[in-house]
Amino acid sequence: MPLAKECNYTSEDYWNLPDGQRAELIEGQLYDMAPPGYIHQKLVMELSATIRDHIRKNAGSCEVLPAPFAVNLNADDRTYVEPDISVICSRDKITEKGCKGAPDVIIEVVSPGSQRMDYQIKLFKYRTAGVREYWIVNPATKTVTVYGFERDEHSGQYTFKDQIPMSVFPGLYICIADLL
């Protein structure tokens, strides 16, 4: 939900939020973020570890960073998001303040209040910013929607019981049911 004040916020407003208040800045508008629940956090932890372990096993150089981690999506002053999981393969994008530019992979775990944001607003922002692959993990429906923005054939709808391929990392398949 947007904060009550309607105006053009900037990164200065984002970085000066009161301690403990989480929000995302999208096109100059601040959106409050509710605290995540148990299943949400378990999925973030297990997905992050699975991807990180695959990268390490294959001597990869990508970083897996869970929220809260700021992503300055368009490297501008008007959009900072906090994806549940960011996978960044260009280390020069990583700064002390987060990621400057689009991560290679973003995973969002849907919460009851974040559906519109994850399925609509962020989908558009991630696609146009240059994210290579976007996963939307929905615990309520036990589905995963994958958008392979580089190649459409890597997009699809999966259940938690499916072996879901991660196109950015050939050979990596994740079964969400095995993580719970």
Side-chain angles (χ1 to χ4, degrees):
M1 297 286 295
L3 295 174
K5 184 179 175 188
E6 295 284 335
C7 71
N8 267 339
Y9 291 98
T10 67
S11 60
E12 184 178 349
D13 299 305
Y14 173 79
W15 288 108
N16 287 312
L17 289 170
D19 285 344
Q21 181 180 354
R22 287 188 57 210
E24 292 180 302
L25 176 66
I26 300 176
E27 294 297 325
Q29 181 63 52
L30 282 170
Y31 295 87
D32 279 325
M33 297 176 69
Y38 168 73
I39 292 297
H40 182 280
Q41 286 304 92
K42 181 165 178 63
L43 284 167
V44 169
M45 172 67 181
E46 296 300 330
L47 283 163
S48 296
T50 300
I51 297 166
R52 183 206 60 214
D53 292 348
H54 177 82
I55 292 167
R56 285 183 178 169
K57 181 177 151 191
N58 292 283
S61 61
C62 300
E63 290 275 348
V64 181
L65 298 159
F69 183 74
V71 173
N72 184 210
L73 198 56
N74 300 316
D76 66 12
D77 198 39
R78 297 174 32 86
T79 301
Y80 276 86
V81 292
E82 291 188 19
D84 290 317
I85 301 171
S86 299
V87 181
I88 304 158
C89 298
S90 299
R91 296 217 179 198
D92 59 330
K93 289 183 178 181
I94 300 172
T95 71
E96 277 304 309
K97 286 199 165 193
C99 178
K100 189 171 182 85
D104 294 87
V105 178
I106 289 180
I107 299 175
E108 295 283 9
V109 178
V110 176
S111 298
S114 73
Q115 288 192 37
R116 179 177 171 270
M117 184 69 73
D118 294 336
Y119 284 104
Q120 295 175 15
I121 295 169
K122 287 184 177 179
L123 171 61
F124 174 76
K125 293 301 295 175
Y126 294 161
R127 177 186 293 266
T128 58
V131 172
R132 294 168 59 197
E133 187 167 342
Y134 175 38
W135 286 29
I136 304 173
V137 179
N138 191 328
T141 60
K142 294 188 176 13
T143 59
V144 179
T145 306
V146 175
Y147 295 94
F149 295 137
E150 292 180 317
R151 295 174 53 190
D152 284 341
E153 65 267 17
H154 291 165
S155 299
Q157 182 83 20
Y158 301 89
T159 71
F160 275 22
K161 294 180 182 179
D162 292 328
Q163 292 290 327
I164 306 168
M166 184 164 275
S167 66
V168 171
F169 301 111
L172 176 58
Y173 293 84
I174 300 174
C175 178
I176 304 294
D178 291 345
L179 304 179
L180 296 174

